[in-house]
């Protein structure tokens, strides 16, 4: 994969549009997922995803090696921060619409063909609770949680994407996980089936 990525990047830098389209297809879902979980709103996530790939294409000559994925996710992260700063200067967008399953909305998981309708509804309810809890995290903690626990990236790559050191990544991730645990254990966000009494 790394060799193929490198080949596509080099071809793209030489002006091969089809090679860049392959890079887009390779990473668009990952970029969208990061943006959606950072912003909590599908339309904004789609806009930032598109902006990320346009920016990356314009700056391809500035890419100096390493993982293209890391470089791309750093552009996406910075673009999300810009959107979040703008949102803070005006009334915030409700997360309610973003957490409901809609036609054309974000696909967070593929449905299991053998899943009962009640199980599907419960899974969507749980996903909504997790997204709402995630939205309450500080942005710097939210991004490391997404990159680590949702996207499965190594701490070293997260440090590159967020332009921080390894110790900072681990510290933010630890605080994010603890905060998520507190929010979900509070029981207000979790569906009833997932709530547990502390003394049980």
């Amino acid at each position: 994969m790394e060799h193929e990525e490198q080949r596509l990047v080099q071809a793209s830098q030489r002006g091969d549009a089809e090679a860049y389209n392959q890079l887009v297809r390779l990473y668009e879902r990952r970029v969208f997922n990061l943006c959606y979980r950072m912003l909590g709103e599908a339309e904004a996530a789609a806009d930032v995803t598109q902006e990320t790939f346009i920016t990356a294409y314009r700056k391809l000559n500035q890419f100096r090696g390493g993982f293209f994925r890391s470089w791309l996710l750093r552009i996406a992260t910075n673009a999300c921060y810009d959107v979040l700063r703008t949102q803070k200067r005006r009334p915030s967008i409700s997360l309610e619409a973003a957490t409901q399953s809609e036609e054309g909305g974000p696909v967070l998981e593929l449905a299991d063909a053998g899943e009962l309708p009640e199980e599907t509804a419960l899974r969507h309810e749980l996903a909504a609770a997790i997204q709402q809890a995630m939205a309450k995290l500080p942005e710097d903690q939210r991004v490391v949680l997404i990159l680590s626990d949702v996207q499965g990236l190594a701490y070293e790559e997260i440090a590159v994407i967020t332009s921080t050191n390894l110790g900072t990544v681990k510290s933010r991730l630890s605080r994010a996980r603890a905060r998520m645990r507190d929010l979900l254990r509070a029981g207000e966000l979790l569906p009833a089936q997932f709530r547990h009494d502390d003394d049980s």
Side-chain angles (χ1 to χ4, degrees):
M1 172 64 84
E2 185 179 346
H3 177 73
E4 176 64 6
E5 178 188 271
Q6 188 177 24
R7 184 190 70 77
L8 290 171
V9 170
Q10 289 173 348
S12 300
Q13 289 174 324
R14 292 192 298 268
D16 185 338
E18 179 51 35
Y20 191 71
N21 286 338
Q22 288 184 52
L23 286 170
V24 172
R25 288 191 290 272
L26 193 59
Y27 291 121
E28 63 185 341
R29 189 176 182 94
R30 185 182 286 271
V31 171
F32 176 82
N33 185 271
L34 169 65
C35 295
Y36 173 72
R37 290 183 179 275
M38 281 295 291
L39 303 174
E41 206 274 314
E43 188 175 341
D47 289 345
V48 174
T49 298
Q50 182 177 24
E51 179 188 332
T52 295
F53 284 106
I54 291 171
T55 301
Y57 185 75
R58 288 175 178 159
K59 295 185 173 182
L60 266 176
N61 62 330
Q62 298 176 24
F63 178 67
R64 294 289 181 260
F67 286 114
F68 179 76
R69 176 181 70 186
S70 304
W71 185 71
L72 190 64
L73 290 174
R74 184 190 298 179
I75 292 172
T77 298
N78 289 336
C80 286
Y81 284 153
D82 289 343
V83 170
L84 290 167
R85 277 193 292 269
T86 301
Q87 287 177 355
K88 284 178 182 175
R89 292 194 292 266
R90 66 178 190 223
S92 60
I93 299 170
S94 169
L95 277 175
E96 186 177 347
T99 56
Q100 290 177 355
S101 176
E102 295 181 356
E103 185 93 21
V107 180
L108 299 180
E109 296 178 54
L110 294 175
D112 182 344
E115 193 173 56
L116 295 172
E118 297 82 9
E119 293 170 337
T120 302
L122 186 61
R123 183 167 49 80
H124 283 299
E125 195 178 343
L126 179 60
I130 291 170
Q131 180 63 34
Q132 286 180 305
M134 202 176 288
K136 295 177 184 292
L137 297 177
E139 293 155 17
D140 58 353
Q141 292 179 23
R142 193 185 321 163
V143 72
V144 296
L145 185 74
I146 294 165
L147 293 171
S148 173
D149 293 0
V150 177
Q151 301 215 353
L153 302 184
Y155 295 163
E156 292 80 5
E157 187 172 359
I158 296 170
V160 171
I161 293 167
T162 58
S163 301
T164 54
N165 62 50
L166 205 55
T168 301
V169 168
K170 291 178 180 179
S171 173
R172 288 177 180 173
L173 185 57
S174 176
R175 289 198 300 270
R177 286 171 174 165
R179 178 68 176 139
M180 284 289 288
R181 195 162 48 245
D182 290 346
L183 286 166
L184 294 172
R185 277 182 179 166
E188 297 174 7
L189 297 175
L190 277 182
Q193 293 90 327
F194 293 98
R195 297 176 194 166
H196 299 288
D197 294 329
D198 289 338
D199 55 0
S200 62

